[in-house]
Amino acid sequence: MAGNPLVIIDVQPGLFPAARHEPLLSAIAIEITCAQQRQDPIIFLEYFWKEYRLEKIQSDVRLLKLAGPSAIRLYKYTQDGAKVLKSFCLKQFGYLPSLRIVGVNTDQCVLSTVTTWSKISPKPVTVNSTGCWSRYDHQFGLMNLRSLPKVTVI
């Protein structure tokens, strides 16, 4: 049985300026290390645009290296990555697990993904607020995440 996956959403510095925020990257590095210690799966959920070269759309290279070769990379084509996660989790684990979420942008892709996941999964979601950031309105995203059922923002 798998642990609770750490899902890293859109930490792609070539696409999203918020993904270059050093305090964010430090918080995510800590989350990755903790997930490795717990032997939890680590999933990079990346926004994919076919018009861009791989260097532009890939997740932060330092985080990918830290997560190691067992890290899973999933691609989404919209802000909301919950359906991609659902398909993967059902195929890989046979059920929808609790998730631990970090990423960018708090008020867009993180919020969209967590909102949908909280509707389709009976399991809780934990969002690390220091492991999220937005170039738009981080506090608005956190406020909305806190209002969702089965979602805990720490």
Side-chain angles (χ1 to χ4, degrees), residues 45 80-90 95-99 112-125 148-151:
L45 184 59
D80 186 349
K83 291 177 184 169
V84 171
L85 278 170
K86 177 184 177 184
S87 176
F88 172 80
C89 289
L90 289 174
Y95 63 96
L96 300 179
S98 296
L99 300 178
S112 296
T113 300
V114 173
T115 298
T116 301
W117 187 265
S118 72
K119 292 175 184 173
I120 62 176
S121 174
K123 301 290 178 106
V125 176
L148 295 172
K150 299 177 287 186
V151 175

Side-chain angles (χ1 to χ4, degrees), residues 29-53:
I30 291 168
E31 284 284 347
I32 289 171
T33 301
C34 291
Q36 290 169 326
Q37 291 170 350
R38 291 186 307 263
Q39 298 183 345
D40 288 345
I42 299 169
I43 300 170
F44 286 86
L45 184 59
E46 300 173 321
Y47 199 90
F48 183 80
W49 279 322
K50 63 183 177 184
E51 292 84 22
Y52 290 113
R53 296 187 330 264

